Short mmCIF file of all heavy atoms in Angstrom, two decimals:
data_model
loop_
_atom_site.label_atom_id
_atom_site.label_comp_id
_atom_site.label_asym_id
_atom_site.label_seq_id
_atom_site.Cartn_x
_atom_site.Cartn_y
_atom_site.Cartn_z
N ASN A 1 71.39 -2.26 9.82
CA ASN A 1 71.37 -3.51 10.59
C ASN A 1 71.86 -4.64 9.69
O ASN A 1 71.16 -5.62 9.45
CB ASN A 1 69.97 -3.79 11.11
CG ASN A 1 69.95 -4.96 12.09
OD1 ASN A 1 70.94 -5.25 12.75
ND2 ASN A 1 68.82 -5.65 12.18
N PHE A 2 73.08 -4.46 9.16
CA PHE A 2 73.62 -5.46 8.24
C PHE A 2 74.13 -6.67 9.01
O PHE A 2 74.77 -6.55 10.05
CB PHE A 2 74.77 -4.86 7.44
CG PHE A 2 74.39 -3.70 6.56
CD1 PHE A 2 74.83 -2.42 6.84
CD2 PHE A 2 73.56 -3.89 5.46
CE1 PHE A 2 74.48 -1.35 6.03
CE2 PHE A 2 73.20 -2.84 4.65
CZ PHE A 2 73.66 -1.56 4.93
N VAL A 3 73.86 -7.85 8.46
CA VAL A 3 74.45 -9.08 8.98
C VAL A 3 75.72 -9.33 8.17
O VAL A 3 75.69 -9.39 6.94
CB VAL A 3 73.49 -10.27 8.85
CG1 VAL A 3 74.15 -11.55 9.34
CG2 VAL A 3 72.20 -9.99 9.63
N LEU A 4 76.84 -9.46 8.85
CA LEU A 4 78.14 -9.49 8.17
C LEU A 4 78.71 -10.90 8.07
O LEU A 4 78.39 -11.78 8.87
CB LEU A 4 79.13 -8.59 8.91
CG LEU A 4 78.69 -7.13 9.13
CD1 LEU A 4 79.69 -6.42 10.04
CD2 LEU A 4 78.55 -6.39 7.81
N GLU A 5 79.55 -11.06 7.07
CA GLU A 5 80.36 -12.27 6.96
C GLU A 5 81.76 -11.86 6.53
O GLU A 5 81.97 -10.79 5.94
CB GLU A 5 79.76 -13.25 5.95
CG GLU A 5 79.85 -12.79 4.51
CD GLU A 5 79.36 -13.85 3.53
OE1 GLU A 5 78.97 -14.94 4.00
OE2 GLU A 5 79.38 -13.59 2.32
N THR A 6 82.75 -12.69 6.85
CA THR A 6 84.12 -12.39 6.47
C THR A 6 84.41 -12.94 5.09
O THR A 6 84.18 -14.13 4.81
CB THR A 6 85.11 -13.01 7.48
OG1 THR A 6 84.86 -12.46 8.77
CG2 THR A 6 86.55 -12.71 7.08
N TYR A 7 84.87 -12.06 4.21
CA TYR A 7 85.25 -12.47 2.86
C TYR A 7 86.77 -12.49 2.78
O TYR A 7 87.44 -11.56 3.22
CB TYR A 7 84.68 -11.49 1.82
CG TYR A 7 85.21 -11.73 0.43
CD1 TYR A 7 84.66 -12.73 -0.38
CD2 TYR A 7 86.26 -10.97 -0.06
CE1 TYR A 7 85.16 -12.95 -1.66
CE2 TYR A 7 86.75 -11.19 -1.34
CZ TYR A 7 86.21 -12.18 -2.13
OH TYR A 7 86.70 -12.41 -3.40
N THR A 8 87.31 -13.56 2.22
CA THR A 8 88.76 -13.71 2.08
C THR A 8 89.11 -13.97 0.63
O THR A 8 88.47 -14.81 -0.03
CB THR A 8 89.29 -14.87 2.94
OG1 THR A 8 88.98 -14.61 4.32
CG2 THR A 8 90.81 -15.01 2.79
N ASN A 9 90.10 -13.25 0.13
CA ASN A 9 90.58 -13.46 -1.23
C ASN A 9 92.09 -13.70 -1.14
O ASN A 9 92.88 -12.77 -0.95
CB ASN A 9 90.29 -12.23 -2.10
CG ASN A 9 90.64 -12.45 -3.57
OD1 ASN A 9 91.72 -12.95 -3.89
ND2 ASN A 9 89.74 -12.07 -4.45
N GLU A 10 92.48 -14.97 -1.28
CA GLU A 10 93.88 -15.35 -1.15
C GLU A 10 94.73 -14.76 -2.27
O GLU A 10 95.89 -14.39 -2.06
CB GLU A 10 94.00 -16.87 -1.14
CG GLU A 10 93.32 -17.56 0.04
CD GLU A 10 94.10 -17.40 1.33
OE1 GLU A 10 95.25 -16.89 1.26
OE2 GLU A 10 93.59 -17.79 2.39
N ARG A 11 94.13 -14.66 -3.47
CA ARG A 11 94.91 -14.17 -4.62
C ARG A 11 95.27 -12.69 -4.47
O ARG A 11 96.37 -12.28 -4.85
CB ARG A 11 94.11 -14.39 -5.91
CG ARG A 11 94.03 -15.86 -6.33
CD ARG A 11 93.15 -16.05 -7.53
NE ARG A 11 91.73 -15.83 -7.21
CZ ARG A 11 90.74 -15.91 -8.10
NH1 ARG A 11 91.01 -16.19 -9.37
NH2 ARG A 11 89.50 -15.72 -7.72
N MET A 12 94.36 -11.92 -3.87
CA MET A 12 94.68 -10.51 -3.61
C MET A 12 95.35 -10.33 -2.27
O MET A 12 95.93 -9.28 -2.00
CB MET A 12 93.39 -9.67 -3.68
CG MET A 12 92.90 -9.41 -5.09
SD MET A 12 91.44 -8.33 -5.16
CE MET A 12 92.07 -6.83 -4.42
N GLY A 13 95.27 -11.35 -1.41
CA GLY A 13 95.91 -11.28 -0.10
C GLY A 13 95.21 -10.36 0.87
O GLY A 13 95.86 -9.63 1.63
N VAL A 14 93.85 -10.39 0.86
CA VAL A 14 93.09 -9.51 1.75
C VAL A 14 91.89 -10.26 2.32
O VAL A 14 91.44 -11.28 1.77
CB VAL A 14 92.57 -8.25 1.01
CG1 VAL A 14 93.73 -7.42 0.47
CG2 VAL A 14 91.60 -8.62 -0.11
N SER A 15 91.38 -9.75 3.44
CA SER A 15 90.11 -10.22 3.99
C SER A 15 89.44 -9.04 4.67
O SER A 15 90.10 -8.11 5.14
CB SER A 15 90.32 -11.37 4.98
OG SER A 15 90.89 -10.89 6.19
N PHE A 16 88.09 -9.09 4.73
CA PHE A 16 87.32 -8.01 5.35
C PHE A 16 85.89 -8.51 5.54
O PHE A 16 85.48 -9.54 4.98
CB PHE A 16 87.34 -6.74 4.49
CG PHE A 16 86.96 -6.97 3.05
CD1 PHE A 16 85.63 -6.96 2.64
CD2 PHE A 16 87.94 -7.22 2.10
CE1 PHE A 16 85.29 -7.19 1.32
CE2 PHE A 16 87.61 -7.45 0.77
CZ PHE A 16 86.28 -7.42 0.37
N SER A 17 85.11 -7.76 6.31
CA SER A 17 83.70 -8.10 6.53
C SER A 17 82.82 -7.32 5.56
O SER A 17 83.09 -6.16 5.25
CB SER A 17 83.29 -7.78 7.97
OG SER A 17 83.99 -8.59 8.89
N ILE A 18 81.74 -7.98 5.12
CA ILE A 18 80.83 -7.40 4.14
C ILE A 18 79.42 -7.94 4.44
O ILE A 18 79.30 -9.06 4.96
CB ILE A 18 81.28 -7.78 2.70
CG1 ILE A 18 80.54 -6.94 1.64
CG2 ILE A 18 81.11 -9.26 2.45
CD1 ILE A 18 81.08 -5.55 1.49
N PRO A 19 78.35 -7.18 4.19
CA PRO A 19 77.00 -7.74 4.36
C PRO A 19 76.86 -9.04 3.57
O PRO A 19 77.17 -9.08 2.37
CB PRO A 19 76.09 -6.63 3.82
CG PRO A 19 76.85 -5.38 4.06
CD PRO A 19 78.29 -5.74 3.81
N TYR A 20 76.40 -10.09 4.22
CA TYR A 20 76.45 -11.41 3.59
C TYR A 20 75.49 -11.55 2.42
O TYR A 20 75.65 -12.44 1.58
CB TYR A 20 76.20 -12.50 4.64
CG TYR A 20 74.75 -12.85 4.86
CD1 TYR A 20 74.17 -13.96 4.23
CD2 TYR A 20 73.95 -12.06 5.69
CE1 TYR A 20 72.84 -14.28 4.43
CE2 TYR A 20 72.62 -12.39 5.90
CZ TYR A 20 72.06 -13.49 5.27
OH TYR A 20 70.75 -13.79 5.48
N THR A 21 74.49 -10.68 2.33
CA THR A 21 73.53 -10.77 1.21
C THR A 21 74.03 -10.03 -0.03
O THR A 21 73.45 -10.19 -1.11
CB THR A 21 72.17 -10.17 1.61
OG1 THR A 21 72.36 -8.81 2.04
CG2 THR A 21 71.54 -10.98 2.72
N TRP A 22 75.10 -9.24 0.10
CA TRP A 22 75.58 -8.50 -1.07
C TRP A 22 76.22 -9.45 -2.06
O TRP A 22 76.81 -10.46 -1.69
CB TRP A 22 76.57 -7.42 -0.63
CG TRP A 22 75.87 -6.24 -0.01
CD1 TRP A 22 74.77 -6.26 0.78
CD2 TRP A 22 76.25 -4.87 -0.12
NE1 TRP A 22 74.42 -4.99 1.17
CE2 TRP A 22 75.32 -4.11 0.64
CE3 TRP A 22 77.28 -4.19 -0.77
CZ2 TRP A 22 75.38 -2.72 0.74
CZ3 TRP A 22 77.37 -2.80 -0.66
CH2 TRP A 22 76.42 -2.08 0.08
N LEU A 23 76.10 -9.11 -3.34
CA LEU A 23 76.46 -10.01 -4.42
C LEU A 23 77.85 -9.68 -4.96
O LEU A 23 78.16 -8.52 -5.25
CB LEU A 23 75.44 -9.91 -5.55
CG LEU A 23 73.97 -10.08 -5.12
CD1 LEU A 23 73.03 -9.79 -6.28
CD2 LEU A 23 73.74 -11.47 -4.56
N LEU A 24 78.68 -10.70 -5.10
CA LEU A 24 80.00 -10.53 -5.67
C LEU A 24 79.89 -10.47 -7.19
O LEU A 24 79.33 -11.36 -7.83
CB LEU A 24 80.91 -11.70 -5.27
CG LEU A 24 82.34 -11.67 -5.80
CD1 LEU A 24 83.10 -10.46 -5.28
CD2 LEU A 24 83.06 -12.96 -5.42
N ASN A 25 80.40 -9.41 -7.76
CA ASN A 25 80.36 -9.24 -9.21
C ASN A 25 81.36 -10.20 -9.86
O ASN A 25 82.56 -10.09 -9.63
CB ASN A 25 80.71 -7.79 -9.56
CG ASN A 25 80.62 -7.50 -11.05
OD1 ASN A 25 80.38 -8.39 -11.86
ND2 ASN A 25 80.80 -6.24 -11.41
N PRO A 26 80.86 -11.13 -10.69
CA PRO A 26 81.77 -12.12 -11.29
C PRO A 26 82.54 -11.56 -12.49
O PRO A 26 83.49 -12.19 -12.96
CB PRO A 26 80.82 -13.25 -11.73
CG PRO A 26 79.54 -12.55 -12.03
CD PRO A 26 79.45 -11.40 -11.07
N ASN A 27 82.13 -10.40 -12.98
CA ASN A 27 82.75 -9.85 -14.19
C ASN A 27 83.96 -8.97 -13.88
O ASN A 27 84.16 -7.91 -14.47
CB ASN A 27 81.71 -9.03 -14.97
CG ASN A 27 80.52 -9.86 -15.40
OD1 ASN A 27 80.68 -11.00 -15.85
ND2 ASN A 27 79.33 -9.32 -15.25
N THR A 28 84.77 -9.42 -12.96
CA THR A 28 86.00 -8.71 -12.62
C THR A 28 87.13 -9.72 -12.49
O THR A 28 86.90 -10.91 -12.25
CB THR A 28 85.88 -7.94 -11.29
OG1 THR A 28 85.59 -8.87 -10.24
CG2 THR A 28 84.78 -6.89 -11.36
N ASN A 29 88.34 -9.25 -12.64
CA ASN A 29 89.52 -10.08 -12.44
C ASN A 29 89.75 -10.20 -10.94
O ASN A 29 90.20 -9.26 -10.29
CB ASN A 29 90.73 -9.46 -13.13
CG ASN A 29 91.99 -10.30 -12.98
OD1 ASN A 29 92.03 -11.26 -12.21
ND2 ASN A 29 93.03 -9.93 -13.71
N GLN A 30 89.43 -11.33 -10.37
CA GLN A 30 89.47 -11.51 -8.92
C GLN A 30 90.88 -11.43 -8.33
O GLN A 30 91.04 -11.39 -7.11
CB GLN A 30 88.85 -12.86 -8.55
CG GLN A 30 87.41 -13.04 -9.02
CD GLN A 30 86.46 -12.09 -8.31
OE1 GLN A 30 86.41 -12.05 -7.10
NE2 GLN A 30 85.69 -11.32 -9.08
N GLU A 31 91.89 -11.36 -9.17
CA GLU A 31 93.25 -11.19 -8.67
C GLU A 31 93.59 -9.72 -8.44
O GLU A 31 94.55 -9.41 -7.75
CB GLU A 31 94.25 -11.80 -9.66
CG GLU A 31 94.15 -13.32 -9.76
CD GLU A 31 95.21 -13.90 -10.68
OE1 GLU A 31 96.05 -13.10 -11.18
OE2 GLU A 31 95.23 -15.12 -10.87
N THR A 32 92.80 -8.84 -9.03
CA THR A 32 93.08 -7.41 -8.90
C THR A 32 91.88 -6.60 -8.44
O THR A 32 92.05 -5.51 -7.88
CB THR A 32 93.57 -6.83 -10.24
OG1 THR A 32 92.54 -7.04 -11.23
CG2 THR A 32 94.86 -7.50 -10.69
N THR A 33 90.66 -7.10 -8.65
CA THR A 33 89.46 -6.30 -8.37
C THR A 33 88.36 -7.15 -7.75
O THR A 33 88.05 -8.24 -8.26
CB THR A 33 88.92 -5.64 -9.65
OG1 THR A 33 89.96 -4.88 -10.27
CG2 THR A 33 87.74 -4.71 -9.33
N ILE A 34 87.79 -6.64 -6.66
CA ILE A 34 86.62 -7.26 -6.03
C ILE A 34 85.53 -6.19 -5.98
O ILE A 34 85.78 -5.06 -5.57
CB ILE A 34 86.92 -7.73 -4.60
CG1 ILE A 34 88.18 -8.60 -4.56
CG2 ILE A 34 85.74 -8.47 -4.00
CD1 ILE A 34 88.73 -8.77 -3.16
N GLN A 35 84.32 -6.57 -6.37
CA GLN A 35 83.21 -5.63 -6.26
C GLN A 35 81.98 -6.33 -5.71
O GLN A 35 81.57 -7.37 -6.22
CB GLN A 35 82.87 -5.01 -7.62
CG GLN A 35 81.79 -3.93 -7.51
CD GLN A 35 81.50 -3.29 -8.85
OE1 GLN A 35 80.80 -3.87 -9.67
NE2 GLN A 35 82.02 -2.08 -9.08
N PHE A 36 81.42 -5.75 -4.65
CA PHE A 36 80.17 -6.25 -4.07
C PHE A 36 79.07 -5.24 -4.35
O PHE A 36 79.25 -4.03 -4.20
CB PHE A 36 80.32 -6.45 -2.56
CG PHE A 36 81.10 -7.68 -2.19
CD1 PHE A 36 82.47 -7.63 -2.00
CD2 PHE A 36 80.44 -8.90 -2.03
CE1 PHE A 36 83.19 -8.76 -1.65
CE2 PHE A 36 81.15 -10.05 -1.69
CZ PHE A 36 82.53 -9.98 -1.49
N VAL A 37 77.89 -5.77 -4.74
CA VAL A 37 76.75 -4.94 -5.10
C VAL A 37 75.57 -5.30 -4.21
O VAL A 37 75.28 -6.49 -3.99
CB VAL A 37 76.37 -5.12 -6.59
CG1 VAL A 37 75.21 -4.21 -6.97
CG2 VAL A 37 77.58 -4.86 -7.48
N GLU A 38 74.88 -4.29 -3.71
CA GLU A 38 73.70 -4.54 -2.89
C GLU A 38 72.58 -5.12 -3.76
O GLU A 38 72.33 -4.63 -4.86
CB GLU A 38 73.21 -3.24 -2.27
CG GLU A 38 71.99 -3.41 -1.38
CD GLU A 38 71.41 -2.08 -0.92
OE1 GLU A 38 71.51 -1.10 -1.66
OE2 GLU A 38 70.86 -2.04 0.19
N PRO A 39 71.90 -6.18 -3.31
CA PRO A 39 70.79 -6.72 -4.10
C PRO A 39 69.65 -5.71 -4.22
O PRO A 39 69.39 -4.94 -3.31
CB PRO A 39 70.36 -7.96 -3.30
CG PRO A 39 70.90 -7.75 -1.93
CD PRO A 39 72.13 -6.93 -2.07
N LYS A 40 68.98 -5.71 -5.36
CA LYS A 40 67.90 -4.75 -5.61
C LYS A 40 66.79 -4.86 -4.57
O LYS A 40 66.13 -3.87 -4.25
CB LYS A 40 67.35 -4.93 -7.01
CG LYS A 40 68.33 -4.53 -8.11
CD LYS A 40 67.70 -4.64 -9.48
CE LYS A 40 68.67 -4.14 -10.56
NZ LYS A 40 68.06 -4.22 -11.91
N SER A 41 66.57 -6.05 -4.05
CA SER A 41 65.50 -6.25 -3.07
C SER A 41 65.76 -5.52 -1.75
O SER A 41 64.83 -5.34 -0.96
CB SER A 41 65.30 -7.74 -2.81
OG SER A 41 66.50 -8.32 -2.28
N GLU A 42 67.00 -5.11 -1.51
CA GLU A 42 67.34 -4.45 -0.26
C GLU A 42 67.62 -2.96 -0.42
O GLU A 42 67.94 -2.28 0.56
CB GLU A 42 68.57 -5.12 0.37
CG GLU A 42 68.34 -6.58 0.75
CD GLU A 42 69.58 -7.21 1.37
OE1 GLU A 42 70.53 -6.47 1.69
OE2 GLU A 42 69.61 -8.44 1.53
N MET A 43 67.48 -2.44 -1.62
CA MET A 43 67.82 -1.05 -1.87
C MET A 43 66.90 -0.11 -1.10
O MET A 43 65.69 -0.27 -1.11
CB MET A 43 67.74 -0.74 -3.37
CG MET A 43 68.81 -1.45 -4.19
SD MET A 43 68.55 -1.28 -5.98
CE MET A 43 68.66 0.51 -6.18
N MET A 44 67.49 0.87 -0.41
CA MET A 44 66.72 1.85 0.33
C MET A 44 66.04 2.84 -0.60
O MET A 44 65.04 3.46 -0.24
CB MET A 44 67.62 2.59 1.32
CG MET A 44 68.30 1.68 2.33
SD MET A 44 67.13 0.68 3.29
CE MET A 44 66.29 1.96 4.23
N GLU A 45 66.60 3.01 -1.79
CA GLU A 45 65.99 3.86 -2.82
C GLU A 45 65.78 2.98 -4.04
O GLU A 45 66.64 2.88 -4.90
CB GLU A 45 66.91 5.04 -3.13
CG GLU A 45 66.29 6.10 -4.03
CD GLU A 45 67.21 7.30 -4.20
OE1 GLU A 45 67.49 7.98 -3.19
OE2 GLU A 45 67.65 7.54 -5.34
N PRO A 46 64.61 2.32 -4.14
CA PRO A 46 64.40 1.30 -5.16
C PRO A 46 64.68 1.75 -6.59
O PRO A 46 65.15 0.95 -7.41
CB PRO A 46 62.92 0.94 -4.99
CG PRO A 46 62.63 1.25 -3.55
CD PRO A 46 63.45 2.47 -3.24
N ASP A 47 64.41 3.01 -6.89
CA ASP A 47 64.65 3.48 -8.26
C ASP A 47 65.94 4.29 -8.36
O ASP A 47 66.17 4.99 -9.35
CB ASP A 47 63.47 4.34 -8.74
CG ASP A 47 63.23 5.54 -7.83
OD1 ASP A 47 63.76 5.57 -6.71
OD2 ASP A 47 62.50 6.45 -8.25
N GLY A 48 66.78 4.18 -7.34
CA GLY A 48 68.04 4.93 -7.33
C GLY A 48 69.21 4.10 -7.82
O GLY A 48 69.04 3.02 -8.40
#
C-alpha cells in the first residue's frame, strides 16, 4: 500500500513514480545513478 510520488531527474532525462517515503541516496553521481532506499522504520523484515 505504497503512497507514490513522481520523481524527475533532468540531468539523467528520466522520470518515474516511487514510494514517497523512500530515501534518495546522496552518495551517488546524480547524472548517472539514482538509488532509493526503503527507510528502516518501514522494513517488513526489520533485521533483514
Side-chain angles (χ1 to χ4, degrees):
N1 189 26
F2 298 112
V3 178
L4 305 172
E5 70 175 359
T6 299
Y7 171 81
T8 300
N9 186 313
E10 297 285 353
R11 288 175 290 178
M12 284 183 61
V14 299
S15 73
F16 52 86
S17 295
I18 193 78
Y20 88 98
T21 57
W22 284 37
L23 308 173
L24 179 63
N25 183 355
N27 300 317
T28 60
N29 181 350
Q30 302 294 306
E31 293 184 2
T32 59
T33 305
I34 308 165
Q35 185 178 77
F36 284 91
V37 182
E38 181 188 31
K40 291 184 176 181
S41 60
E42 297 180 11
M43 292 171 61
M44 301 303 294
E45 189 175 297
D47 58 345

